[in-house]
Amino acid sequence: MPEAIGVAQRRLEGGDKVSGRTAYVADVRVPNALHAELVSSPYAHARVVSIDRTAAEAMPGVVAVLTADEIGSLGLLAKGEVFYAGQPVAVVVADDRRLAADAAQVVRVRYERLPAVVDPVAALREDAPAVLPAELRSQRADAGAHGADAAQHAASQRANVCGEAHFARGDVEQGLRLADVVVEARYRIPALYQGYLEPHGTVAVPEGDRLTVYTTTQGQFAVREEVCQATGLPEHRVKVVGMQVGGGFGAKFVKLEPLCAALALRLRQPVRLVLSRSGDFLTSRPGNFAEIGVRLGARRDGTLTALAADLLLDAGAQEDGTVGIAAMLIGSTYRVPHLLVDGYEVLTHKTPSGAYRAPGAPQAYYALESAMDELARKLGQDPFELRLRSACQQGDPRANGAPWPRIGLVETLEAARNHPFWRERSRQADEGYGVAAGGWPGGTEPAAAACRINGDGSITVQVGSVDITGTNTVFAQMAAQVFGVRADAVAVSAADTDAAPYSGSSGGSKITFTVGNAVLQAAQDARQQVLEMAAQELEASASDLDMAEGRVFVRGAPSRAVSVADLARSTTAFGGSAAPLVGRGRVAIKRASPGFAVHVARVRVDRRTGEVQPIGYLAVQDVGRALNPMAVAGQIRGGVSQSLGRALGEAMRWGDSGQLLTGSFLDYAVPRAADVPPIEVELVEVPAEEGPFGAKGVGEPPAVPGAAAIANAVADATGVRVRDLPLRPETVLAALAGETS
Amino acid sequence: MEISGSAGVKAPPAAVSQVLADPARLQRSLPGCRQLEPDGNGYRIEISIGVAAVRGTYQGTIEVLRHEPGRQFDFRLMLEAPRGFVEATVATRLDESAQGTELRYTAESELGGPLAALGQRVAAGVATMLVRQFCDGLGREAQGLLQG
């Protein structure tokens, strides 16, 4: 019987993607479609005094110029007041894309500039002016869609605090007094653009009393819910078609869809809204800026005595939910008797923050793992030794006191320590190695799936999840394993919200874990139906039957067999006597599958230029069970590459008055292929109790430890610690020259 | 963003100041200036720039902060275009030189909107180019005035 699980399988959709045949939302062609263009505020904070649309409306081909006064804010449009530079204040709709862009240029908006609160530290102060009026507080937050454990929240009196997390255990001051060595440091991590290839885009098509929305999203059901909330339509009258996604990384939940839907309904015509790259930058939902202070104490032998951490995350001009995740993780990774974590998230007049692959975790672990490295250096201890002494295991308390389920942090640390990349390390001049761990709590959400046996015996799996990482390929492998066939004998239909069973959004490292369980259940259900049909045919008990390569046979007597195709044909024939074969899976898994990764970076630092060159990399990760090792390794390499950008070059910057200064790939430097060193991947398999075949979420952990691993390697190479990311040459050079960062 | 520099004008400082105080001549000196009308303590202007990411037609005001003929011309510039805005406070010194006038300037400026997001990198270069063109224009107009 062919094994389908644990076998490297090329991604089902990969061929179309690399050969340019994949249709993305910008490729959707709908007859009579209108084109929408946004008119954006150049000011970070201003009152909209007037909007003169006469010149735009007079242009032939312009159908409408609309503002929040007519169609509402729809999560995007300013209504009377703008809160970030780039916030749309009006939308022009015309019968041609270029015409819409030209018309948007002649919409005259008069603004009264208001003072902008740009610096998150200033925004936190008790006397800071409120960034948002009270009626705009408590909106949706993308990081919440990741489903990570909620933090303990407390209401703050400060005007701009929009999220808090506080965790305490023991007496942290006492714990620090018990320490022989204390590391005290502050770390800053900039806001980051997710850097996906495909900018946001949506096409909305009204048809009778229904609306169809084609969009690039990680979660089509989430889009449907918000479109319905915005338009008042019931969910069965809105169909969302989640297109192939050209990269999301947390940025693509819901953005343009409510606006585009409202325009289509109002104008009774299809409307297309596809952003340019600069439009995408201006309205992006970047990963949060964070400033994290750490005090970490240990005894001479490396036993941790206390950890105090204060976190400040910048939410931009909309409430976010990331600080809870960051605070939870920073206080949950190592056993420490005295713990105090205080996290705040503040509003500022900047583009609202969103989710970026493991929201909050790279920030938390950059601080925690840099501090652990500083501690190891002060103690003169091996970095693995120090971590293994206190690394959390099953049953150890998390920051909120709840015990960890079975996790693989210790196994992952040990695998990294024993790997030849570390064990046989050799250092030339100005080279160094850095170690860092990181984790992600994982997410859960109810999910359903169907598995149909077609008339010819082939298998179709139906799901409603959006495949951003190769999950459909894994679903095919799961069904193939159940039926004893090769994965290419299974088709996976990722249907729209009309046709597909429910699935949560592809975020939080949960699709294989949740939808995968539903697929497994559905395939097993369909298999049982086939076996019961065969039992009648073969005059045997179903429990005595087995199935492989399209045949059902009596165990021990393989010549007594019937083909699945013959059985299935009778379920789809005119006058046929058997009911169609349709398996059903529905799950609501309650416990997430936390995943940990340990990275080791090797860098070379050019002392004349400050340039940091990664020259080798090891990524070790507990994946529970690698259902498709090729896809898992690909995920890990992608996460490492993003971490290199985070560590060495990427940063969203704003000027003092809230102007975005990095609005294109000219000024926002993502790593290119030549910047990425060879990456060795080692998989650790500590099975997740509730995961399909033991699998756990693998998407987010590889994006977590990288920045700290690189910074620790730079410290190892130079003896100099740079605590503010990114480690650009000028920063490193200044640090080498003795100026502290 | 702070921009500073200097450029030569082929006319003496007193003539340059005369051009600066004459709306018609000032308009002709300014590259791409479509309209310049006196307004209070300065001018209302419309100006077209055709360079890279700062391309567009800008409308706004020049507010004269201080004009000492033959020596100094300080002003505040506020321009708006669909792609963003430019605000600048500019201090200009006129010194006699071999060729006529050495015009030295320092400007504290702010860009906003897509102009800031995309144009930051080229803004200083474009400003330098426009100042040179302006100084050439000032020279031409001042010569015309002197030959007048």
Side-chain angles (χ1 to χ4, degrees):
Chain A
M1 194 170 89
E3 285 290 323
I5 290 297
V7 176
Q9 177 73 40
R10 285 191 183 179
R11 280 169 63 162
L12 299 176
E13 85 292 7
D16 282 349
K17 278 188 174 160
V18 298
S19 60
R21 288 192 296 266
T22 300
Y24 295 94
V25 69
D27 299 315
V28 171
R29 292 286 175 265
V30 180
N32 303 319
L34 299 170
H35 298 261
E37 183 80 18
L38 302 172
V39 178
S40 300
S41 166
Y43 300 109
H45 188 204
R47 195 170 67 81
V48 179
V49 177
S50 63
I51 301 178
D52 179 0
R53 326 167 199 198
T54 15
E57 284 170 340
M59 290 170 73
V62 171
V63 174
V65 182
L66 296 165
T67 69
D69 289 338
E70 294 90 28
I71 54 175
S73 286
L74 300 161
L76 205 58
L77 293 178
K79 190 171 166 63
E81 190 171 346
V82 295
F83 300 106
Y84 61 94
Q87 183 172 12
V89 292
V91 57
V92 176
V93 187
D95 57 19
D96 176 85
R97 180 172 62 85
R98 292 175 189 84
L99 178 63
D102 285 350
Q105 304 266 308
V106 299
V107 175
R108 292 268 171 264
V109 186
R110 279 186 55 222
Y111 299 92
E112 177 195 343
R113 260 181 106 162
L114 300 170
V117 181
V118 179
D119 175 12
V121 177
L124 183 64
R125 285 202 282 265
E126 287 190 12
D127 59 350
V131 167
L132 290 183
E135 65 268 22
L136 289 181
R137 299 290 295 268
S138 293
Q139 292 187 342
R140 179 186 61 83
D142 283 343
H146 280 67
D149 286 325
Q152 298 158 3
H153 285 265
S156 172
Q157 299 304 309
R158 294 186 240 204
N160 295 317
V161 170
C162 62
E164 288 183 55
H166 304 281
F167 300 110
R169 177 161 69 231
D171 176 347
V172 84
E173 299 304 331
Q174 170 69 7
L176 289 167
R177 279 194 294 273
L178 292 171
D180 295 315
V181 175
V182 173
V183 167
E184 182 167 356
R186 295 194 81 72
Y187 305 91
R188 286 177 198 83
I189 304 99
L192 294 182
Y193 180 63
Q194 293 86 348
Y196 36 82
L197 283 173
E198 177 207 27
H200 281 264
T202 301
V203 180
V205 184
E207 295 160 308
D209 62 353
R210 295 182 51 93
L211 179 74
T212 301
V213 179
Y214 302 88
T215 193
T216 176
T217 180
Q218 295 171 229
Q220 52 182 8
F221 287 95
V223 169
R224 187 178 70 173
E225 189 181 331
E226 290 210 19
V227 164
C228 289
Q229 282 170 3
T231 61
L233 286 172
E235 293 191 355
H236 67 295
R237 299 221 189 282
V238 173
K239 175 167 84 176
V240 176
V241 184
M243 303 293 293
Q244 288 281 350
V245 178
F249 309 110
K252 287 183 179 161
F253 288 100
V254 186
K255 184 155 95 176
L256 305 176
E257 295 89 347
L259 171 61
C260 200
L263 292 172
L265 290 172
R266 183 182 176 95
L267 302 171
R268 299 173 193 280
Q269 221 174 314
V271 173
R272 181 180 186 274
L273 174 51
V274 176
L275 296 183
S276 64
R277 178 62 66 186
S278 52
D280 202 279
F281 262 102
L282 282 172
T283 56
S284 69
R285 301 281 183 268
N288 313 65
F289 163 90
E291 180 175 324
I292 301 176
V294 176
R295 287 184 295 156
L296 180 63
R299 293 209 185 269
R300 187 71 55 204
D301 67 359
T303 305
L304 300 183
T305 61
L307 169 63
D310 61 277
L311 301 89
L312 176 62
L313 271 68
D314 188 346
Q318 188 178 308
E319 295 185 1
D320 189 20
T322 310
V323 72
I325 306 173
M328 181 75 171
L329 288 170
I330 209 167
S332 300
T333 304
Y334 297 105
R335 280 191 306 274
V336 53
H338 303 281
L339 175 75
L340 182 66
V341 181
D342 287 310
Y344 293 94
E345 194 154 322
V346 292
L347 295 161
T348 57
H349 288 120
K350 300 206 285 281
T351 177
S353 293
Y356 180 21
R357 201 170 178 180
Q363 295 94 322
Y365 280 105
Y366 177 65
L368 179 65
E369 290 299 285
S370 294
M372 284 294 280
D373 198 73
E374 296 198 45
L375 183 62
R377 277 170 205 290
K378 273 192 165 180
L379 291 166
Q381 262 202 9
D382 174 90
F384 283 106
E385 201 63 47
L386 179 70
R387 285 172 173 83
L388 279 163
R389 181 179 289 277
S390 305
C392 279
Q393 304 186 53
Q394 182 170 8
D396 284 332
R398 284 177 273 192
N400 63 357
W404 277 109
R406 189 164 179 211
I407 54 172
L409 174 58
V410 167
E411 290 85 342
T412 309
L413 281 164
E414 282 171 345
R417 182 175 60 172
N418 294 330
H419 195 282
F421 184 85
W422 173 257
R423 229 181 37 236
E424 296 164 15
R425 63 193 180 279
S426 66
R427 282 200 298 180
Q428 313 292 317
D430 300 328
E431 286 182 11
Y433 285 79
V435 174
W440 178 251
T444 61
E445 188 157 350
C451 178
R452 295 197 321 252
I453 311 300
N454 302 305
D456 63 354
S458 63
I459 301 160
T460 300
V461 168
Q462 270 184 310
V463 293
S465 48
V466 174
D467 182 3
I468 56 171
T469 56
T471 44
N472 285 351
T473 307
V474 166
F475 298 154
Q477 290 176 273
M478 289 179 175
Q481 183 77 22
V482 169
F483 285 94
V485 296
R486 288 160 47 95
D488 56 12
V490 180
V492 178
S493 164
D496 58 60
T497 56
D498 268 8
Y502 181 81
S503 161
S505 301
S506 299
S509 301
K510 69 171 185 290
I511 293 300
T512 298
F513 188 65
T514 59
V515 183
N517 264 319
V519 168
L520 188 56
Q521 213 181 73
Q524 285 163 342
D525 186 16
R527 182 181 193 271
Q528 189 58 33
Q529 292 169 27
V530 172
L531 292 180
E532 282 165 12
M533 267 188 88
Q536 289 194 342
E537 186 78 17
L538 298 171
E539 295 181 340
S541 163
S543 59
D544 291 334
L545 300 180
D546 211 342
M547 194 187 292
E549 295 178 55
R551 292 168 72 252
V552 183
F553 53 90
V554 178
R555 215 174 282 118
S559 60
R560 280 181 67 198
V562 59
S563 81
V564 176
D566 286 345
L567 293 169
R569 187 52 72 200
S570 71
T571 68
T572 61
F574 184 77
S577 56
L581 297 161
V582 184
R584 195 178 68 161
R586 44 194 292 274
V587 299
I589 294 166
K590 294 179 182 65
R591 204 153 72 168
S593 65
F596 283 88
V598 174
H599 289 188
V600 185
R602 181 184 181 191
V603 305
R604 183 184 299 134
V605 180
D606 187 327
R607 286 183 174 272
R608 293 165 308 148
T609 64
E611 192 182 0
V612 177
Q613 187 190 0
I615 52 175
Y617 207 96
L618 169 66
V620 183
Q621 187 170 327
D622 169 28
V623 300
R625 173 90 190 274
L627 304 182
N628 182 358
M630 183 192 278
V632 169
Q635 285 260 59
I636 291 173
R637 292 200 169 91
V640 170
S641 305
Q642 287 181 320
S643 302
L644 295 177
R646 185 185 288 275
L648 298 174
E650 295 181 38
M652 292 277 272
R653 300 282 193 214
W654 287 264
D656 292 342
S657 62
Q659 295 296 334
L660 177 65
L661 304 178
T662 50
S664 79
F665 283 130
L666 277 174
D667 295 291
Y668 188 89
V670 295
R672 297 161 193 220
D675 301 321
V676 179
I679 300 165
E680 293 188 51
V681 174
E682 169 106 350
L683 303 182
V684 173
E685 295 186 327
V686 177
E689 282 169 30
E690 298 191 64
F693 303 97
K696 55 182 66 166
V698 299
E700 266 144 330
V704 177
I710 293 280
N712 293 344
V714 170
D716 188 46
T718 63
V720 171
R721 174 69 56 176
V722 184
R723 298 190 181 89
D724 292 356
L725 291 180
L727 278 65
R728 288 188 181 155
E730 61 270 26
T731 313
V732 174
L733 203 56
L736 287 171
E739 306 166 34
T740 52
S741 77
Chain B
M1 181 168 57
E2 198 179 295
I3 302 171
S4 60
S6 65
V9 184
K10 289 177 182 162
V16 170
S17 278
Q18 266 184 282
V19 174
L20 290 172
D22 177 339
R25 290 182 192 279
L26 180 59
Q27 182 179 350
R28 288 198 297 270
S29 307
L30 279 164
C33 185
R34 293 178 174 185
Q35 192 192 334
L36 185 140
E37 287 172 3
D39 178 39
N41 199 24
Y43 308 99
R44 297 191 66 77
I45 65 166
E46 183 174 306
I47 192 162
S48 277
I49 300 173
V51 191
V54 295
R55 180 190 304 272
T57 298
Y58 296 76
Q59 293 175 328
T61 57
I62 293 174
E63 182 194 351
V64 179
L65 301 175
R66 181 172 185 168
H67 189 185
E68 283 184 46
R71 296 167 64 91
Q72 187 171 356
F73 186 75
D74 297 350
F75 60 99
R76 192 191 329 273
L77 179 70
M78 297 179 81
L79 295 173
E80 272 190 359
R83 294 180 57 74
F85 65 86
V86 181
E87 291 182 11
T89 304
V90 186
T92 307
R93 299 284 172 274
L94 306 174
D95 291 311
E96 208 163 332
S97 72
Q99 65 161 334
T101 301
E102 182 73 6
L103 183 152
R104 280 180 304 175
Y105 59 93
T106 57
E108 183 56 46
S109 69
E110 186 192 349
L111 304 186
L115 206 59
L118 296 171
Q120 206 79 230
R121 190 178 279 273
V122 296
V126 172
T128 305
M129 185 192 78
L130 293 176
V131 168
R132 292 225 174 93
Q133 289 181 3
F134 176 47
C135 287
D136 289 348
L138 279 178
R140 251 190 341 266
E141 288 300 320
Q143 293 289 344
L145 195 76
L146 293 172
Q147 288 159 17

